Amino acid sequence: MLQLLQHRRLLNSVSEIVSEFRKALERGKTNGRKVRLAMIDHVTSIPSVLIPVKELIKVCREEGVDKVFVDGAHGIGCVDFDVKEMGADFYTSTLNKWFFCPPAAAILYCRKSSEVNDLHHPVVSHEYGNGLPIESAWIGTRDYSAQLVIPQASEFVNRFEGGIEGIKKRNHKAVVEMGKMLAKAWGTHLGSPPEMCSSMIMVGLPASLGIC
């Protein structure tokens, strides 16, 4: 996926994101306040940047943030990650963006802790109190067809060389090649270094395309 920019490069390095994030937490803690929850995107779409979530979660722990929630809507099927190694308290991702599933197919990971027992699905049903997974499994009038096709989507993905891992690598390689090609042709630049891109990339627009 290509995105076009009308301004200068947005980012040059991971350290820029980490530095700005730490400053934001410091501002949030002014006057004795406490940051209870940090919400972090894993892969932003506009602009398209792969966020160094593991490094930001480490900063959160150092700064005493209570909980970290990672929004990984573009995560599954787009980038490599291990939720346990990442260290987030909560991680969610959809399967319709890069895993060939219909909308409404998604996952929610909750880090194991004593407080997880106090989490409940917002739609209360007769399963209330039996744990978040069971509470989320049946909420009445939901259309479950999106979840039911996940095994078939996984089977479809595995038909490609290398499965989902191969798809991710080919997508990243192709989008970087196309981004560099456009940037060279237009005399512009990428919006961030290739290593900070996933299956999406930003390309600067020229001031004029020179079309007569």
Side-chain angles (χ1 to χ4, degrees), residues 93-108:
S93 185
T94 58
L95 300 176
N96 64 293
K97 294 184 180 296
W98 300 99
F99 206 76
F100 302 95
C101 287
I107 63 103
L108 172 64

Side-chain angles (χ1 to χ4, degrees), residues 21-29 35 38 59-60 63 65:
F21 185 78
R22 190 181 292 276
K23 291 177 185 177
L25 285 182
E26 290 173 353
R27 290 194 296 270
K29 293 168 61 179
V35 179
V59 172
C60 288
E63 297 295 331
V65 176

